[in-house]
Amino acid sequence: MDNPTVGDVVAALDRRYPPRLAMGWDRVGLVCGDPAAPVRRVLFAVDPVADVVAEALDTGADMLVVHHPLLLRGVHSVAATTFKGALVHQLVSGGVALYTAHTNADAASGGVADALAGAIGLVDVAPMVPDPGPALDKHVVFVPVADASAVVDAMSAAGAGAVGEYSRCAWSTVGEGTFVPSAQATPTIGTQLEVTTVVEARVEMVAPRDRRAGVVAAMRTAHPYEEPAFDVLELATWPGSTGLGQVGRLPAEVSLDQLARTVAAVLPATAAGVRYAGPPDALVRTVAVVGGAGDSEFDAVRSCGADAYVTADLRHHPASEAREQAVHDAATGRRTAATPYLVDVSHAASEWLWLPAAADKLAADLGGSVVTQVSTARTDPWTGHVPSPAEGES
């Protein structure tokens, strides 16, 4: 793509991280910037903080893509007397557009949870809490064999027959159709008031439910009959490929301590580091991950049968109760996947891993016409850590 605009970048990001995947309370998409403005350089970061905005301005970025929203709650002013208003003024005056991909990037395929799961080395991953798949119809049409291909083409052009990376997908079989045209009919085949038998194809194609009217209209236009026979069947909804978190397996069992060390090694360094709840030598194989704050999802983690749960911002009481249940089960020989061990990490660090992949994908989606880079600013708010004295020390 030659000379992409802010609007082009937004469209590319929206395709990767559809805004419809965002939670209802979230605010994602273009925050400030002119959709018609040209874009040559894009900076990616977790947080829209002062250091990141300064980096965007210093590096000549035309657009800043962040994970966390700058303006999540309703605002009535962006005056520069507040720190958020000051950042908006700096971005606008510097010609830097701001775009947010938050919970939509958490849930999307290739998003935040995927990046965390991949860095840890999980295989056979799937969404921990899958979103429902798209609502689909099955269109069943009866058409003379000679006209079946034209009907399939028309329905495909209207949005039917897309299955994964394949298009114009259809299934058909041949049988006999029979009818009697009335005295008022103008049949393409047959004679008024006489029994007519035609060799017909039964054609089946799936289509998104929101394309129903268009697919039916296209079928009617391409069909040779005055009154085509067809069915539209609503298909059951299946779990989709997007959703909150990821769950997968490690290639081999490891100790809880080794899992925590692996997590620490792949995440950016932070003052808090990585902590875990459970016996160091406990063996784990199935691991659930949620980037960012995840202690509201304990029920989902238990349901997916994870041995360990890697997330951020674990609060005292939920973590304590999970640990006590695990200790009790281990002592009584009833250790189950319903009581996962916990690995608690920095919020920002758990989400940072997504940035390099997102930057590379945007550059590829725009044909290399923009330069993308990942911010080097450390946005974790904690700046220091003092270890507790060892036993016997003062």
Side-chain angles (χ1 to χ4, degrees):
M1 179 182 295
D2 294 331
N3 303 314
T5 64
V6 168
D8 295 326
V9 176
V10 168
L13 291 167
D14 284 353
R15 285 192 295 271
R16 288 280 183 182
Y17 316 106
R20 62 179 172 79
L21 298 180
M23 294 185 178
W25 51 262
D26 202 5
R27 297 294 179 266
V28 301
L30 188 64
V31 179
C32 65
D34 180 357
V39 176
R40 295 168 294 275
R41 183 179 295 273
V42 180
L43 180 67
F44 282 75
V46 173
D47 294 292
V49 295
D51 285 349
V52 168
V53 171
E55 184 178 359
L57 295 170
D58 289 345
T59 58
D62 305 295
M63 193 163 181
L64 173 60
V65 176
V66 294
H67 184 53
H68 291 145
L70 175 64
L71 305 174
L72 180 59
R73 311 298 180 197
V75 298
H76 64 275
S77 170
V78 289
T81 52
T82 67
F83 84 90
K84 289 188 176 183
L87 294 181
V88 171
H89 277 260
Q90 291 173 37
L91 290 166
V92 172
S93 62
V96 181
L98 177 63
Y99 176 96
T100 301
H102 192 208
T103 53
N104 52 324
D106 289 331
S109 298
V112 172
D114 275 347
L116 181 55
I120 294 172
L122 299 185
V123 297
D124 299 329
V125 295
M128 185 181 75
V129 184
D131 293 326
L136 298 175
D137 290 334
K138 179 189 284 186
H139 293 254
V140 182
V141 184
F142 301 88
V143 58
V145 172
D147 299 286
S149 183
V151 169
V152 170
D153 285 341
M155 294 173 66
S156 176
V163 180
E165 297 300 320
Y166 297 85
S167 60
R168 199 184 178 279
C169 299
W171 182 88
S172 65
T173 189
V174 175
E176 285 189 347
T178 183
F179 50 87
V180 176
S182 73
Q184 287 73 42
T186 54
T188 302
I189 300 174
T191 304
Q192 294 172 337
L193 305 178
E194 294 184 4
V195 174
T196 302
T197 300
V198 183
V199 178
E200 294 180 333
R202 172 191 169 108
V203 175
E204 300 184 12
M205 300 180 76
V206 296
R209 196 162 297 162
D210 60 6
R211 299 289 188 92
R212 180 184 293 176
V215 171
V216 171
M219 178 274 296
R220 286 184 177 277
T221 299
H223 203 291
Y225 286 176
E226 183 180 20
E227 293 291 344
F230 67 95
D231 299 318
V232 179
L233 310 175
E234 293 189 355
L235 300 181
T237 299
W238 296 93
S241 60
T242 63
L244 179 65
Q246 290 285 322
V247 59
R249 296 182 301 104
L250 293 167
E253 279 189 330
V254 300
S255 70
L256 178 59
D257 184 77
Q258 182 56 55
L259 172 63
R261 292 179 183 276
T262 298
V263 172
V266 300
L267 293 181
T270 60
V274 173
R275 55 186 180 174
Y276 60 84
D281 58 352
L283 296 178
V284 298
R285 182 74 183 273
T286 302
V287 180
V289 302
V290 167
D295 70 4
S296 63
E297 302 303 324
F298 272 117
D299 287 344
V301 175
R302 295 184 184 102
S303 297
C304 75
D307 301 318
Y309 181 32
V310 180
T311 190
D313 296 346
L314 290 177
R315 292 171 296 162
H316 173 84
H317 292 295
S320 177
E321 290 175 6
R323 178 178 179 180
E324 289 301 301
Q325 185 65 56
V327 170
H328 172 76
D329 289 348
T332 58
R334 295 199 300 263
R335 161 69 187 162
T336 69
T339 52
Y341 303 120
L342 306 177
V343 179
D344 185 43
V345 304
S346 156
H347 188 120
S350 70
E351 297 167 328
W352 186 91
L353 296 172
W354 165 69
L355 300 178
D360 289 345
K361 289 173 182 176
L362 177 64
D365 289 345
L366 296 177
S369 57
V370 298
V371 175
T372 59
Q373 64 187 88
V374 175
S375 173
T376 59
R378 180 168 164 175
T379 62
D380 185 89
W382 306 109
T383 57
H385 169 70
V386 179
S388 298
E391 186 176 353
E393 294 181 0
S394 60

